[in-house]
Amino acid sequence: MKGEAELKVVNLRKWFPVRRGIVSTLLSRKTEYVKAVDGVSFEVRKGEVFGLAGESGCGKTTTGKTVLRLLEPTGGEIYFEGRDITALNKAEMKQMRRKMQIIYQDPYQSLNPRMTVFDIISEPINVHRLSDSPAETEEIVHKSLEDVELIPAEDFVFRFPHELSGGQRQRVAVARTIILQPSFIVADEPISMLDVSIRAGILKVMLQTKEAQDITYIFITHDLAYARHICHRGAIMYLGKIVELASMDNLVNNPLHPYTIALMMAVPVPDPTLGKARAVISGEVPTPINPPSGCRFHPRCSKATDICSRQEPELVEVSGGHFVACHHAH
Amino acid sequence: MTILEVQDLKTYYSTLKGDVKAVDGVRLQMEKGESLGLVGESGCGKTTLALAIMRLLPWNGRIVGGKILLNDVDIVGLDEAIFDKDYRWKRMAYVFQGAMNALNPVFKVGDQIAEAITIHEDVAKREALDRARELFSLVGIDPGRITSYPHELSGGMKQRAMIAMALACNPDFIIADEPTTALDVIVQAQTLEVINELQKKLGITMMLITHDLSVVAQTCTTCAIMYAGNLVEYADIDTTFSDPVHPYTQALISAFPSIKEDRRELISISGVPPNLLNPPTGCRFNPRCPHRMDICTKEKPEYLEIGDRHFAACHLLTNGG
Ligand SMILES: Nc1ncnc2c1ncn2[C@@H]1O[C@H](COP(=O)(O)OP(=O)(O)OP(=O)(O)O)[C@@H](O)[C@H]1O
Ligand SMILES: Nc1ncnc2c1ncn2[C@@H]1O[C@H](COP(=O)(O)OP(=O)(O)OP(=O)(O)O)[C@@H](O)[C@H]1O
Ligand SMILES: [Mg+2]
Ligand SMILES: [Mg+2]
C-alpha cells in the first residue's frame, strides 16, 4: 500500500572510531570518532523511490549500509515493515536480508571475477533455497536475465564478469538482487560509474521491476539531476545530518535550507540559454571528526547568526511533508 | 585568427591484439579565444587527442597520420628539443585527467610551480615564487598557501593549483582534461567560475574535455562531439543544443537529465560504444543508430561543413533520410 512506511529510521547514528597513532594511545587521549551518520530520522514509504543526496563524505553510503545492518548502528532505531530490526539476531537478520538488498556503485568490484553469470545469479537462490531442482534454478536465472534485458539469456550465462561491459555487469548485479524478490533495495550510486548513454537503460530495468514487484528504493546519489527524474521524495545530507527532506519537486523548486539552495544553484544545466550554475557559498565541506558546533553548516552560511553556532537546529516540518533543519528557514 | 588546426589526425596504440584506433581522422580548427568543449563517452579518444596535441603519448601510442598546426606550424614533425623548449608548457599547456592527485606529496605546492617556471624560463627561484603567488590569487587560492603541502589542500584547491601550474609559463592555449569530474557540485561550480574568469581576463584559448554536456553548456562557446575516435559534430554552443543534426548528438542530449526540467523518463541509447581495435565499418555509430540506412554500414560519412562553422558526419545529411 502506498503511503505506508516500509522503513522508518529514528535518530540513527553510526560513528567510526578514528585510528590513533601510538603516541596518543600512550597519552591515553579520548577516542575520537568520525560521526559519519549522527542522528538521522526519516521514513521511506512503500513503493516509492527515496533519494539520499549530498556531497562526498556526508554519510549517504553509511546510512544506506546501516539501515540494512551491513554496518551495526551506534545508536537509533530501524523499523522495517513495522519491526525494529536492530533487535534481530543473526539468524533472524539473515531471513530479513532476503527482503532487504543493496546494489553497489561499482559493478567491477561487486561481482566475483571467478564466477560465471549463472553462478553469480544462482548463488542467492541456493543460499535461500528458492528452487527445488536444477531445472527450476535454470529457469529462474534465465527469467531474471531477461528481466534486466540481457537477451538472449543463453548468450550471457556462461560469461565471466570480465567478458561483460560495465553496463552489462551492472545489469547482472541488478538481476542477482531482484531474484530474491526483495521488497526494499538500497541502490548506492548504481549508475555513477557508467556512461551517460547507458545509464537510463539500467535505471529502466531497476524501475520496471520496481513496478512489477512493488519494490521500495533508497536511491543514493550525488547527482541531483538524476535524483530529480528518479526519486519521489528525498533528503539532503550535510556532515552526517539531514538538513532538508521533502518531495523532489519541493527540493528542486522550493528549497528552504541555505545549503540546499546553494546545491541547487551549483548544478549545471545542459542548456546554454539558461543561467549559469553558480557557487554561492565558498569553501568545502569540513571533516566530520570535529564538526562545527550548533548548526554544522553555520561557518559557510550567509544567514548565520549567534544562535546557529550555539544550538543545533531540529529537523521540523514547515509545511505538509517538507522538513528543514535551519534556525532561519521558517 | 586560427590558433590550432588539426587535419585528419590519426593516433593509434599498438597492443598485442592489434592497433587501437583511438583517434582516427579528426579534423578541428580553433580560433583565438575560443572555449571548446570536447565531449564524448569513456574511451572515445578525448585524452588521446589531447596527448597527441601535447606530444605526450605513452610509448605504445603514435601519430600515424595527419597534421597538427599551432599558429600555422606543424608540430607533428617538429624536433623534440625545439618542441620542448618553445612549445610544450610555454605556448600550450595541459591539465592532466586526474591531475589533482599528480602533485608530488613531498614538496610544497609553491615550490612545484616555481620549478615548472625555472625549468622553462631563465628566472631566479625567488621571482618564480612571486609568480606562483600571483597565479594562486588568479585561481582564487590565498597566495599564502604556496607553502602548503598537497595533503593540506582540499580537492578543489588541488585542482586549482594544477590549473595555476598549467598557467605558469603564460601559454595561450590550454587543454583541461576532465578538470571537475572528481569534484562535488559546489566545488565544481567554483572551479568553473575560476576557469571562466581566467578566460575573460587572459583571453586564453581553451579545450575543455568532459563527458558532461551540462558543464560544456555552461562554460564553452563551441562544442565538438566525439564518438569512437571520430568527431561526429562541431558547432557553436547554442546550435549544439538547439539544432543538433547528428543522431548521436541528439541521443546524447536526450539521455542527459536536467534539473530544470519536470520529471521525465530518461532515454537511453541502445548498445554500447564499439571496441576501437575493430570498430564497425562505415559510420561507427551505425550499430546503435535509430536512423541506420544501408550506406551507413558500408561507407564512412564525410565530415562536412553544413552551416557556418557547423560540421557533421552523417549520411542523412547527404542521402536524405
Ligand atoms: N569504515 C569507515 N571507517 C572510518 N570512517 C569511515 C568509514 N566509512 C566511512 N567513513 C567516513 O564517514 C564519512 C561518511 O562516509 P560515506 O561513505 O558514508 O559518505 P558518502 O556520502 O557515501 O560519500 P561519497 O559520495 O563519497 O560516496 C566520511 O567522512 C568517511 O570518510
Ligand atoms: N596506452 C594505451 N594502450 C592501448 N590502448 C589505449 C591506451 N590508452 C588508451 N587506450 C585506448 O584508447 C581508447 C581511447 O582512450 P582515451 O583515454 O583517449 O579515451 P577518453 O575519451 O579520454 O576516455 P575517458 O572519458 O574514459 O577518459 C580507449 O579504447 C582506450 O582503452
Ligand atoms: Mg558513498
Ligand atoms: Mg580521458
mmCIF file of all heavy atoms in Angstrom, chain A residues 55-56 195 197 200-201 228-231 266 268-270 272 275-279 281-284, chain B residues 41-42 154 156 184-185 187-188 190 193 214 218 241 257-259 261-264 266 268-269 288:
data_model
loop_
_atom_site.group_PDB
_atom_site.id
_atom_site.type_symbol
_atom_site.label_atom_id
_atom_site.label_comp_id
_atom_site.label_asym_id
_atom_site.label_seq_id
_atom_site.Cartn_x
_atom_site.Cartn_y
_atom_site.Cartn_z
ATOM 1 N N GLU A 55 26.974 15.965 -0.744
ATOM 2 C CA GLU A 55 28.328 15.887 -1.257
ATOM 3 C C GLU A 55 29.093 14.700 -0.684
ATOM 4 O O GLU A 55 28.686 14.103 0.309
ATOM 5 C CB GLU A 55 29.059 17.200 -0.964
ATOM 6 C CG GLU A 55 28.501 18.353 -1.787
ATOM 7 C CD GLU A 55 29.104 19.687 -1.384
ATOM 8 O OE1 GLU A 55 28.711 20.236 -0.358
ATOM 9 O OE2 GLU A 55 29.976 20.162 -2.107
ATOM 10 N N SER A 56 30.208 14.411 -1.317
ATOM 11 C CA SER A 56 31.044 13.297 -0.922
ATOM 12 C C SER A 56 31.361 13.346 0.575
ATOM 13 O O SER A 56 31.727 14.390 1.099
ATOM 14 C CB SER A 56 32.337 13.367 -1.731
ATOM 15 O OG SER A 56 33.105 12.242 -1.471
ATOM 16 N N ASP A 195 28.582 5.045 -18.447
ATOM 17 C CA ASP A 195 28.437 6.111 -19.432
ATOM 18 C C ASP A 195 27.014 6.631 -19.478
ATOM 19 O O ASP A 195 26.056 5.877 -19.293
ATOM 20 C CB ASP A 195 28.803 5.577 -20.821
ATOM 21 C CG ASP A 195 30.272 5.785 -21.089
ATOM 22 O OD1 ASP A 195 30.823 6.779 -20.602
ATOM 23 O OD2 ASP A 195 30.849 4.942 -21.780
ATOM 24 N N SER A 197 25.128 7.334 -21.904
ATOM 25 C CA SER A 197 24.209 6.757 -22.886
ATOM 26 C C SER A 197 23.554 5.479 -22.388
ATOM 27 O O SER A 197 22.494 5.095 -22.870
ATOM 28 C CB SER A 197 24.937 6.495 -24.214
ATOM 29 O OG SER A 197 25.816 5.406 -24.107
ATOM 30 N N ALA A 200 20.426 5.392 -18.495
ATOM 31 C CA ALA A 200 18.969 5.344 -18.495
ATOM 32 C C ALA A 200 18.470 3.909 -18.645
ATOM 33 O O ALA A 200 17.443 3.542 -18.071
ATOM 34 C CB ALA A 200 18.413 6.231 -19.602
ATOM 35 N N GLY A 201 19.209 3.090 -19.387
ATOM 36 C CA GLY A 201 18.807 1.691 -19.576
ATOM 37 C C GLY A 201 18.834 0.916 -18.264
ATOM 38 O O GLY A 201 17.931 0.121 -17.975
ATOM 39 N N ARG A 228 16.327 14.167 -9.465
ATOM 40 C CA ARG A 228 15.119 14.874 -9.906
ATOM 41 C C ARG A 228 14.194 13.977 -10.721
ATOM 42 O O ARG A 228 12.983 14.045 -10.611
ATOM 43 C CB ARG A 228 15.551 16.077 -10.760
ATOM 44 C CG ARG A 228 14.444 16.691 -11.591
ATOM 45 C CD ARG A 228 13.936 17.890 -10.908
ATOM 46 N NE ARG A 228 12.703 18.444 -11.384
ATOM 47 C CZ ARG A 228 11.520 18.169 -10.859
ATOM 48 N NH1 ARG A 228 11.407 17.268 -9.918
ATOM 49 N NH2 ARG A 228 10.453 18.802 -11.272
ATOM 50 N N HIS A 229 14.811 13.177 -11.597
ATOM 51 C CA HIS A 229 13.999 12.404 -12.538
ATOM 52 C C HIS A 229 13.616 11.021 -12.019
ATOM 53 O O HIS A 229 12.772 10.361 -12.604
ATOM 54 C CB HIS A 229 14.721 12.297 -13.883
ATOM 55 C CG HIS A 229 14.815 13.629 -14.577
ATOM 56 N ND1 HIS A 229 13.788 14.136 -15.343
ATOM 57 C CD2 HIS A 229 15.778 14.576 -14.565
ATOM 58 C CE1 HIS A 229 14.135 15.334 -15.791
ATOM 59 N NE2 HIS A 229 15.327 15.624 -15.335
ATOM 60 N N ILE A 230 14.258 10.590 -10.941
ATOM 61 C CA ILE A 230 14.030 9.226 -10.477
ATOM 62 C C ILE A 230 13.286 9.154 -9.156
ATOM 63 O O ILE A 230 12.479 8.251 -8.941
ATOM 64 C CB ILE A 230 15.386 8.518 -10.343
ATOM 65 C CG1 ILE A 230 15.890 8.217 -11.746
ATOM 66 C CG2 ILE A 230 15.281 7.228 -9.565
ATOM 67 C CD1 ILE A 230 17.348 8.259 -11.808
ATOM 68 N N CYS A 231 13.544 10.111 -8.280
ATOM 69 C CA CYS A 231 13.030 9.987 -6.915
ATOM 70 C C CYS A 231 11.696 10.707 -6.743
ATOM 71 O O CYS A 231 11.428 11.707 -7.398
ATOM 72 C CB CYS A 231 14.032 10.560 -5.927
ATOM 73 S SG CYS A 231 15.651 9.798 -6.073
ATOM 74 N N ALA A 266 24.213 25.319 -7.822
ATOM 75 C CA ALA A 266 25.508 24.895 -8.368
ATOM 76 C C ALA A 266 25.374 23.809 -9.432
ATOM 77 O O ALA A 266 26.333 23.493 -10.117
ATOM 78 C CB ALA A 266 26.403 24.397 -7.235
ATOM 79 N N PRO A 268 24.934 22.297 -12.795
ATOM 80 C CA PRO A 268 24.932 22.824 -14.160
ATOM 81 C C PRO A 268 23.779 22.229 -14.963
ATOM 82 O O PRO A 268 23.310 21.134 -14.680
ATOM 83 C CB PRO A 268 26.281 22.379 -14.725
ATOM 84 C CG PRO A 268 26.669 21.192 -13.913
ATOM 85 C CD PRO A 268 26.021 21.336 -12.563
ATOM 86 N N VAL A 269 23.317 22.986 -15.930
ATOM 87 C CA VAL A 269 22.156 22.583 -16.709
ATOM 88 C C VAL A 269 22.574 22.397 -18.167
ATOM 89 O O VAL A 269 23.289 23.242 -18.705
ATOM 90 C CB VAL A 269 21.081 23.687 -16.651
ATOM 91 C CG1 VAL A 269 19.807 23.223 -17.303
ATOM 92 C CG2 VAL A 269 20.821 24.095 -15.222
ATOM 93 N N PRO A 270 22.137 21.335 -18.813
ATOM 94 C CA PRO A 270 22.538 21.130 -20.210
ATOM 95 C C PRO A 270 21.728 22.013 -21.155
ATOM 96 O O PRO A 270 21.035 21.506 -22.045
ATOM 97 C CB PRO A 270 22.269 19.631 -20.439
ATOM 98 C CG PRO A 270 21.177 19.303 -19.502
ATOM 99 C CD PRO A 270 21.354 20.194 -18.303
ATOM 100 N N PRO A 272 22.453 25.971 -22.805
ATOM 101 C CA PRO A 272 23.258 27.199 -22.756
ATOM 102 C C PRO A 272 22.425 28.469 -22.634
ATOM 103 O O PRO A 272 22.967 29.522 -22.297
ATOM 104 C CB PRO A 272 24.028 27.180 -24.084
ATOM 105 C CG PRO A 272 23.286 26.244 -24.960
ATOM 106 C CD PRO A 272 22.552 25.280 -24.098
ATOM 107 N N GLY A 275 20.501 30.396 -17.187
ATOM 108 C CA GLY A 275 21.538 30.996 -16.350
ATOM 109 C C GLY A 275 22.583 29.975 -15.930
ATOM 110 O O GLY A 275 22.290 28.793 -15.784
ATOM 111 N N LYS A 276 23.779 30.467 -15.748
ATOM 112 C CA LYS A 276 24.883 29.589 -15.374
ATOM 113 C C LYS A 276 24.752 29.086 -13.947
ATOM 114 O O LYS A 276 24.207 29.773 -13.085
ATOM 115 C CB LYS A 276 26.197 30.365 -15.468
ATOM 116 C CG LYS A 276 26.706 30.493 -16.868
ATOM 117 C CD LYS A 276 28.170 30.911 -16.845
ATOM 118 C CE LYS A 276 28.776 30.664 -18.165
ATOM 119 N NZ LYS A 276 28.875 31.565 -19.153
ATOM 120 N N ALA A 277 25.322 27.891 -13.732
ATOM 121 C CA ALA A 277 25.446 27.382 -12.373
ATOM 122 C C ALA A 277 26.348 28.327 -11.600
ATOM 123 O O ALA A 277 27.305 28.858 -12.138
ATOM 124 C CB ALA A 277 26.062 25.989 -12.410
ATOM 125 N N ARG A 278 26.026 28.552 -10.337
ATOM 126 C CA ARG A 278 26.834 29.467 -9.545
ATOM 127 C C ARG A 278 27.210 28.855 -8.214
ATOM 128 O O ARG A 278 26.452 28.084 -7.632
ATOM 129 C CB ARG A 278 26.060 30.766 -9.296
ATOM 130 C CG ARG A 278 25.962 31.625 -10.558
ATOM 131 C CD ARG A 278 25.518 33.017 -10.224
ATOM 132 N NE ARG A 278 24.173 33.001 -9.663
ATOM 133 C CZ ARG A 278 23.825 33.718 -8.601
ATOM 134 N NH1 ARG A 278 24.698 34.477 -7.984
ATOM 135 N NH2 ARG A 278 22.584 33.666 -8.167
ATOM 136 N N ALA A 279 28.379 29.219 -7.746
ATOM 137 C CA ALA A 279 28.793 28.799 -6.413
ATOM 138 C C ALA A 279 28.473 29.954 -5.482
ATOM 139 O O ALA A 279 29.165 30.957 -5.472
ATOM 140 C CB ALA A 279 30.283 28.488 -6.394
ATOM 141 N N ILE A 281 28.210 29.631 -2.206
ATOM 142 C CA ILE A 281 28.949 29.529 -0.945
ATOM 143 C C ILE A 281 30.389 29.175 -1.286
ATOM 144 O O ILE A 281 30.670 28.586 -2.318
ATOM 145 C CB ILE A 281 28.362 28.490 0.036
ATOM 146 C CG1 ILE A 281 28.245 27.112 -0.618
ATOM 147 C CG2 ILE A 281 27.025 28.952 0.560
ATOM 148 C CD1 ILE A 281 27.782 26.038 0.347
ATOM 149 N N SER A 282 31.310 29.564 -0.390
ATOM 150 C CA SER A 282 32.713 29.293 -0.659
ATOM 151 C C SER A 282 33.165 28.140 0.221
ATOM 152 O O SER A 282 32.422 27.627 1.044
ATOM 153 C CB SER A 282 33.545 30.537 -0.387
ATOM 154 O OG SER A 282 33.300 30.951 0.932
ATOM 155 N N GLY A 283 34.401 27.755 0.035
ATOM 156 C CA GLY A 283 34.970 26.709 0.858
ATOM 157 C C GLY A 283 34.423 25.338 0.519
ATOM 158 O O GLY A 283 33.666 25.164 -0.424
ATOM 159 N N GLU A 284 34.854 24.344 1.312
ATOM 160 C CA GLU A 284 34.429 22.971 1.093
ATOM 161 C C GLU A 284 33.961 22.371 2.409
ATOM 162 O O GLU A 284 34.116 22.975 3.470
ATOM 163 C CB GLU A 284 35.588 22.171 0.478
ATOM 164 C CG GLU A 284 35.882 22.649 -0.944
ATOM 165 C CD GLU A 284 37.105 21.995 -1.566
ATOM 166 O OE1 GLU A 284 37.205 20.771 -1.499
ATOM 167 O OE2 GLU A 284 37.944 22.722 -2.110
ATOM 168 N N GLU B 41 31.874 9.839 -24.698
ATOM 169 C CA GLU B 41 31.827 8.853 -23.633
ATOM 170 C C GLU B 41 33.205 8.266 -23.374
ATOM 171 O O GLU B 41 34.123 8.415 -24.174
ATOM 172 C CB GLU B 41 30.846 7.754 -24.025
ATOM 173 C CG GLU B 41 29.439 8.297 -24.101
ATOM 174 C CD GLU B 41 28.466 7.216 -24.476
ATOM 175 O OE1 GLU B 41 28.117 6.456 -23.572
ATOM 176 O OE2 GLU B 41 28.082 7.131 -25.637
ATOM 177 N N SER B 42 33.298 7.572 -22.270
ATOM 178 C CA SER B 42 34.561 6.977 -21.876
ATOM 179 C C SER B 42 35.155 6.150 -23.014
ATOM 180 O O SER B 42 34.459 5.354 -23.639
ATOM 181 C CB SER B 42 34.314 6.091 -20.658
ATOM 182 O OG SER B 42 35.525 5.678 -20.135
ATOM 183 N N SER B 154 42.493 21.046 0.013
ATOM 184 C CA SER B 154 41.304 20.265 -0.304
ATOM 185 C C SER B 154 41.345 19.884 -1.787
ATOM 186 O O SER B 154 42.170 20.403 -2.547
ATOM 187 C CB SER B 154 40.065 21.097 -0.034
ATOM 188 O OG SER B 154 40.020 22.160 -0.962
ATOM 189 N N GLY B 156 39.333 20.603 -4.225
ATOM 190 C CA GLY B 156 39.097 21.738 -5.116
ATOM 191 C C GLY B 156 40.310 22.650 -5.202
ATOM 192 O O GLY B 156 40.649 23.167 -6.264
ATOM 193 N N ASP B 184 32.850 17.707 -6.120
ATOM 194 C CA ASP B 184 31.443 17.860 -5.772
ATOM 195 C C ASP B 184 30.862 19.067 -6.481
ATOM 196 O O ASP B 184 31.583 19.963 -6.900
ATOM 197 C CB ASP B 184 31.304 18.037 -4.263
ATOM 198 C CG ASP B 184 31.196 16.702 -3.569
ATOM 199 O OD1 ASP B 184 30.489 15.832 -4.098
ATOM 200 O OD2 ASP B 184 31.824 16.537 -2.526
ATOM 201 N N VAL B 185 29.545 19.101 -6.550
ATOM 202 C CA VAL B 185 28.896 20.074 -7.417
ATOM 203 C C VAL B 185 29.209 21.529 -7.052
ATOM 204 O O VAL B 185 29.446 22.361 -7.931
ATOM 205 C CB VAL B 185 27.382 19.789 -7.532
ATOM 206 C CG1 VAL B 185 26.739 19.605 -6.208
ATOM 207 C CG2 VAL B 185 26.661 20.841 -8.293
ATOM 208 N N VAL B 187 31.924 22.657 -5.473
ATOM 209 C CA VAL B 187 33.335 22.894 -5.797
ATOM 210 C C VAL B 187 33.527 22.924 -7.316
ATOM 211 O O VAL B 187 34.336 23.684 -7.844
ATOM 212 C CB VAL B 187 34.218 21.804 -5.155
ATOM 213 C CG1 VAL B 187 35.680 22.129 -5.372
ATOM 214 C CG2 VAL B 187 33.916 21.696 -3.673
ATOM 215 N N GLN B 188 32.758 22.111 -8.005
ATOM 216 C CA GLN B 188 32.786 22.153 -9.468
ATOM 217 C C GLN B 188 32.371 23.534 -9.965
ATOM 218 O O GLN B 188 33.017 24.117 -10.832
ATOM 219 C CB GLN B 188 31.844 21.101 -10.048
ATOM 220 C CG GLN B 188 31.540 21.328 -11.519
ATOM 221 C CD GLN B 188 30.829 20.155 -12.163
ATOM 222 O OE1 GLN B 188 31.429 19.120 -12.405
ATOM 223 N NE2 GLN B 188 29.564 20.303 -12.440
ATOM 224 N N GLN B 190 32.573 26.318 -8.343
ATOM 225 C CA GLN B 190 33.658 27.251 -8.002
ATOM 226 C C GLN B 190 34.778 27.168 -9.039
ATOM 227 O O GLN B 190 35.278 28.190 -9.524
ATOM 228 C CB GLN B 190 34.246 26.918 -6.616
ATOM 229 C CG GLN B 190 33.306 27.178 -5.441
ATOM 230 C CD GLN B 190 33.785 26.520 -4.141
ATOM 231 O OE1 GLN B 190 34.772 25.781 -4.124
ATOM 232 N NE2 GLN B 190 33.079 26.764 -3.047
ATOM 233 N N GLU B 193 33.848 28.628 -12.364
ATOM 234 C CA GLU B 193 33.872 30.096 -12.291
ATOM 235 C C GLU B 193 35.295 30.619 -12.458
ATOM 236 O O GLU B 193 35.535 31.592 -13.175
ATOM 237 C CB GLU B 193 33.267 30.589 -10.959
ATOM 238 C CG GLU B 193 31.750 30.708 -11.026
ATOM 239 C CD GLU B 193 31.101 31.081 -9.688
ATOM 240 O OE1 GLU B 193 31.815 31.480 -8.741
ATOM 241 O OE2 GLU B 193 29.861 30.966 -9.606
ATOM 242 N N SER B 214 26.360 19.216 -19.562
ATOM 243 C CA SER B 214 25.884 20.417 -18.873
ATOM 244 C C SER B 214 27.055 21.330 -18.518
ATOM 245 O O SER B 214 26.920 22.549 -18.531
ATOM 246 C CB SER B 214 25.050 20.055 -17.644
ATOM 247 O OG SER B 214 25.794 19.276 -16.755
ATOM 248 N N GLN B 218 27.498 25.317 -20.014
ATOM 249 C CA GLN B 218 27.627 26.490 -19.166
ATOM 250 C C GLN B 218 29.017 27.089 -19.154
ATOM 251 O O GLN B 218 29.242 28.089 -18.488
ATOM 252 C CB GLN B 218 27.185 26.112 -17.752
ATOM 253 C CG GLN B 218 25.806 25.469 -17.794
ATOM 254 C CD GLN B 218 24.903 25.958 -16.734
ATOM 255 O OE1 GLN B 218 25.195 25.863 -15.558
ATOM 256 N NE2 GLN B 218 23.777 26.514 -17.142
ATOM 257 N N PHE B 241 22.896 22.625 -28.928
ATOM 258 C CA PHE B 241 21.735 22.229 -28.135
ATOM 259 C C PHE B 241 20.403 22.490 -28.828
ATOM 260 O O PHE B 241 19.433 21.781 -28.581
ATOM 261 C CB PHE B 241 21.783 22.912 -26.759
ATOM 262 C CG PHE B 241 22.800 22.296 -25.851
ATOM 263 C CD1 PHE B 241 24.110 22.748 -25.855
ATOM 264 C CD2 PHE B 241 22.468 21.224 -25.033
ATOM 265 C CE1 PHE B 241 25.068 22.160 -25.038
ATOM 266 C CE2 PHE B 241 23.422 20.631 -24.218
ATOM 267 C CZ PHE B 241 24.724 21.102 -24.219
ATOM 268 N N PRO B 257 20.009 14.214 -18.185
ATOM 269 C CA PRO B 257 18.952 14.814 -17.371
ATOM 270 C C PRO B 257 19.252 16.263 -17.022
ATOM 271 O O PRO B 257 20.414 16.638 -16.865
ATOM 272 C CB PRO B 257 18.975 13.969 -16.103
ATOM 273 C CG PRO B 257 20.382 13.513 -15.989
ATOM 274 C CD PRO B 257 20.907 13.359 -17.390
ATOM 275 N N SER B 258 18.214 17.056 -16.935
ATOM 276 C CA SER B 258 18.378 18.432 -16.478
ATOM 277 C C SER B 258 17.556 18.624 -15.225
ATOM 278 O O SER B 258 16.413 18.194 -15.144
ATOM 279 C CB SER B 258 17.887 19.394 -17.562
ATOM 280 O OG SER B 258 17.747 20.686 -16.994
ATOM 281 N N ILE B 259 18.140 19.301 -14.263
ATOM 282 C CA ILE B 259 17.413 19.532 -13.022
ATOM 283 C C ILE B 259 16.304 20.554 -13.231
ATOM 284 O O ILE B 259 15.357 20.634 -12.457
ATOM 285 C CB ILE B 259 18.379 19.951 -11.899
ATOM 286 C CG1 ILE B 259 17.705 19.781 -10.541
ATOM 287 C CG2 ILE B 259 18.881 21.380 -12.093
ATOM 288 C CD1 ILE B 259 18.652 19.718 -9.398
ATOM 289 N N GLU B 261 14.206 20.580 -15.736
ATOM 290 C CA GLU B 261 13.028 20.029 -16.407
ATOM 291 C C GLU B 261 12.120 19.355 -15.394
ATOM 292 O O GLU B 261 12.567 18.937 -14.334
ATOM 293 C CB GLU B 261 13.411 18.873 -17.330
ATOM 294 C CG GLU B 261 14.208 19.168 -18.512
ATOM 295 C CD GLU B 261 14.655 17.824 -19.118
ATOM 296 O OE1 GLU B 261 15.026 16.890 -18.385
ATOM 297 O OE2 GLU B 261 14.619 17.739 -20.334
ATOM 298 N N ASP B 262 10.873 19.160 -15.801
ATOM 299 C CA ASP B 262 9.994 18.345 -14.981
ATOM 300 C C ASP B 262 10.451 16.898 -15.084
ATOM 301 O O ASP B 262 11.110 16.504 -16.040
ATOM 302 C CB ASP B 262 8.543 18.476 -15.456
ATOM 303 C CG ASP B 262 7.950 19.792 -14.993
ATOM 304 O OD1 ASP B 262 8.493 20.368 -14.024
ATOM 305 O OD2 ASP B 262 6.972 20.254 -15.607
ATOM 306 N N ARG B 263 10.075 16.138 -14.084
ATOM 307 C CA ARG B 263 10.396 14.725 -14.045
ATOM 308 C C ARG B 263 9.991 14.048 -15.348
ATOM 309 O O ARG B 263 8.882 14.232 -15.845
ATOM 310 C CB ARG B 263 9.569 14.152 -12.896
ATOM 311 C CG ARG B 263 9.857 12.786 -12.470
ATOM 312 C CD ARG B 263 8.798 12.410 -11.454
ATOM 313 N NE ARG B 263 8.764 10.974 -11.363
ATOM 314 C CZ ARG B 263 9.539 10.280 -10.537
ATOM 315 N NH1 ARG B 263 10.333 10.885 -9.722
ATOM 316 N NH2 ARG B 263 9.483 8.954 -10.530
ATOM 317 N N ARG B 264 10.904 13.279 -15.926
ATOM 318 C CA ARG B 264 10.549 12.566 -17.150
ATOM 319 C C ARG B 264 11.327 11.259 -17.205
ATOM 320 O O ARG B 264 12.275 11.053 -16.438
ATOM 321 C CB ARG B 264 10.887 13.401 -18.386
ATOM 322 C CG ARG B 264 12.386 13.612 -18.590
ATOM 323 C CD ARG B 264 12.698 14.116 -19.997
ATOM 324 N NE ARG B 264 14.045 14.649 -20.095
ATOM 325 C CZ ARG B 264 15.071 13.974 -20.649
ATOM 326 N NH1 ARG B 264 14.906 12.761 -21.139
ATOM 327 N NH2 ARG B 264 16.281 14.514 -20.702
ATOM 328 N N LEU B 266 14.081 9.054 -18.649
ATOM 329 C CA LEU B 266 15.320 9.323 -19.380
ATOM 330 C C LEU B 266 15.453 8.304 -20.500
ATOM 331 O O LEU B 266 15.044 7.154 -20.371
ATOM 332 C CB LEU B 266 16.502 9.249 -18.421
ATOM 333 C CG LEU B 266 16.386 10.221 -17.245
ATOM 334 C CD1 LEU B 266 17.458 9.947 -16.213
ATOM 335 C CD2 LEU B 266 16.464 11.655 -17.744
ATOM 336 N N SER B 268 17.624 6.071 -23.078
ATOM 337 C CA SER B 268 18.965 5.535 -23.244
ATOM 338 C C SER B 268 19.231 5.251 -24.715
ATOM 339 O O SER B 268 18.319 5.185 -25.524
ATOM 340 C CB SER B 268 19.152 4.273 -22.416
ATOM 341 O OG SER B 268 18.307 3.269 -22.900
ATOM 342 N N ILE B 269 20.508 5.079 -25.029
ATOM 343 C CA ILE B 269 20.895 4.702 -26.386
ATOM 344 C C ILE B 269 21.154 3.206 -26.344
ATOM 345 O O ILE B 269 21.868 2.729 -25.463
ATOM 346 C CB ILE B 269 22.168 5.467 -26.810
ATOM 347 C CG1 ILE B 269 22.000 6.968 -26.562
ATOM 348 C CG2 ILE B 269 22.498 5.186 -28.266
ATOM 349 C CD1 ILE B 269 23.235 7.794 -26.921
ATOM 350 N N ARG B 288 24.202 1.457 -33.362
ATOM 351 C CA ARG B 288 23.323 1.999 -32.322
ATOM 352 C C ARG B 288 22.354 3.044 -32.865
ATOM 353 O O ARG B 288 21.575 3.621 -32.101
ATOM 354 C CB ARG B 288 24.170 2.647 -31.211
ATOM 355 C CG ARG B 288 25.231 1.743 -30.641
ATOM 356 C CD ARG B 288 26.098 2.482 -29.629
ATOM 357 N NE ARG B 288 25.424 2.654 -28.347
ATOM 358 C CZ ARG B 288 25.906 3.393 -27.354
ATOM 359 N NH1 ARG B 288 27.047 4.051 -27.504
ATOM 360 N NH2 ARG B 288 25.248 3.491 -26.225
#
